[in-house]
Amino acid sequence: MALIALAADKGAPGVTTAAVALGAVWPRPVLVAECDQAGGDLVYRLPAAPSDSGRGGQEQDRDGGMLNPSRGLLSLAATARRGLRPEQVAEHCQRLVGGLDVLVGLTNAEQAQAMTWLWGPLGRAFAGLAPVDVIVDCGRLGAGTPLTDLLREADLVVLLTRATLEQVAHLRERVAALSEDLRGGPPLGVLVLADPRDFRGSIAEVDRIVAGARGRSPGDAGAEPAGPPPPTVTVLGGLALDPKGAELLSGRWGGRLDRSLLIRSAREVAADLVGRLQPAPAAPYGPAPGRPADSSPGVHGVPAGAGNAGEQVPAGGRGEKGDR
């Protein structure tokens, strides 16, 4: 139902990690979709659920095999040329160990070059996927990105940054550019990847710097252009810069994921974001990504000891392709 697009400017700091962390603790049915034009990472990071036989007719290894890189955005795009409806999305989703549904991304940037037509229809399909919220990993945004068509369909565009001078400077310029590109479109939010030792101070400093970009267009000489107003810009808070939590999320470090600073801060951010979104309506279709047909809202594929009831925490993982 709600579409939340996560992205960053230069460096794309932790966008994929943030998307999975938020999806793992999201309090409503949710799908995490990889739409990074540079290629997806989930196939290399996290294993599929032990059995995926009910989704597209393929059954994974009983011990939990690798996600299928050919089943996801690539296979969905092949069918979308004949039209794309929200109910088609579920056929191309896969489930992670722990219960989180994902739409895996493209393999490389070359595939994205042939799919510039896809992003607008895909955004509309995501927005119509009731009662499931969709968290989209858009990776790094650049000038003239084709993903602008998808961003226009979002309920909220969230930009991630670390609290360093160079990254906040890049963020400020990206906010100014998107304020022009998304006039009349969704609001912009900023999440700060902040050191837990100075969490509130880092967020406050980014808020002060970003304030100068609110309503400013590239090359603005002071006159407000005619037409729709620019989107509002809000610093939403922060996610803990927690390397151990990020490693644990991808299965590379032992411990309890729900106790990590990353997941604790993600839980607060998820609750805040859901509070800003409209309530999810009843499902118009059958079982959708984000909630198995035989599960109740309180339990959703949570491994023992992995997280709180209702959370979809991935368990185990594979080596990371990179820090996205």
Side-chain angles (χ1 to χ4, degrees), residues 14-61:
V15 178
T16 299
T17 297
V20 175
L22 290 173
V25 298
W26 201 254
R28 305 197 311 207
V30 69
L31 169 70
V32 172
E34 283 191 300
C35 295
D36 188 341
Q37 293 190 99
D41 288 340
L42 290 180
V43 165
Y44 307 98
R45 292 191 185 191
L46 293 164
S51 177
D52 203 20
S53 58
R55 312 290 292 280
Q58 296 185 355
E59 184 169 338
Q60 301 287 348
D61 189 278

Side-chain angles (χ1 to χ4, degrees), residues 15-308:
V15 178
T16 299
T17 297
V20 175
L22 290 173
V25 298
W26 201 254
R28 305 197 311 207
V30 69
L31 169 70
V32 172
E34 283 191 300
C35 295
D36 188 341
Q37 293 190 99
D41 288 340
L42 290 180
V43 165
Y44 307 98
R45 292 191 185 191
L46 293 164
S51 177
D52 203 20
S53 58
R55 312 290 292 280
Q58 296 185 355
E59 184 169 338
Q60 301 287 348
D61 189 278
R62 288 293 176 183
D63 294 328
M66 183 177 180
L67 290 166
N68 184 353
S70 298
R71 181 179 165 203
L73 192 57
L74 193 63
S75 59
L76 180 61
T79 66
R81 289 189 178 276
R82 300 188 295 272
L84 182 56
R85 302 182 306 278
E87 58 267 32
Q88 291 175 251
V89 175
E91 303 170 14
H92 304 273
C93 295
Q94 301 179 67
R95 182 158 293 161
L96 299 177
V97 170
L100 179 61
D101 286 330
V102 297
L103 181 71
V104 301
L106 304 175
T107 304
N108 53 58
E110 286 73 20
Q111 292 174 340
Q113 293 176 359
M115 296 186 183
T116 56
W117 57 271
L118 175 65
W119 306 118
L122 185 63
R124 290 188 287 275
F126 284 158
L129 197 61
V132 179
D133 295 330
V134 182
I135 299 173
V136 180
D137 170 9
C138 295
R140 182 172 68 182
L141 299 179
T145 173
L147 286 175
T148 300
D149 291 338
L150 186 150
L151 299 181
R152 289 185 181 279
E153 304 298 331
D155 294 279
L156 179 65
V157 177
V158 179
L159 301 175
L160 278 76
T161 185
R162 288 191 174 96
T164 63
L165 178 60
E166 62 272 22
Q167 290 216 3
V168 175
H170 288 300
L171 170 74
R172 178 170 170 167
E173 295 307 312
R174 184 55 47 208
V175 167
L178 288 175
S179 293
E180 181 67 19
D181 293 342
L182 298 180
R183 282 182 170 272
L188 302 178
V190 175
L191 275 181
V192 184
L193 301 180
D195 188 327
R197 293 170 295 184
D198 188 25
F199 196 70
R200 296 186 183 278
S202 297
I203 295 170
E205 180 64 12
V206 171
D207 192 15
R208 182 186 68 80
I209 297 172
V210 170
R214 293 187 175 108
R216 181 171 65 87
S217 302
D220 189 5
E224 182 68 21
T232 59
V233 184
T234 306
V235 175
L236 302 169
L239 288 175
L241 194 56
D242 178 15
K244 286 187 175 180
E247 290 174 1
L248 194 153
L249 190 63
S250 60
R252 296 174 58 196
W253 183 72
R256 283 185 60 102
L257 179 58
D258 61 320
R259 293 178 180 174
S260 70
L261 293 173
L262 172 62
I263 289 299
R264 286 160 58 187
S265 60
R267 193 175 290 121
E268 293 181 3
V269 170
D272 177 70
L273 292 179
V274 168
R276 296 171 182 268
L277 303 170
Q278 63 187 72
Y285 317 122
R291 185 75 63 191
D294 59 352
S295 71
S296 64
V299 288
H300 179 31
V302 181
N308 293 338

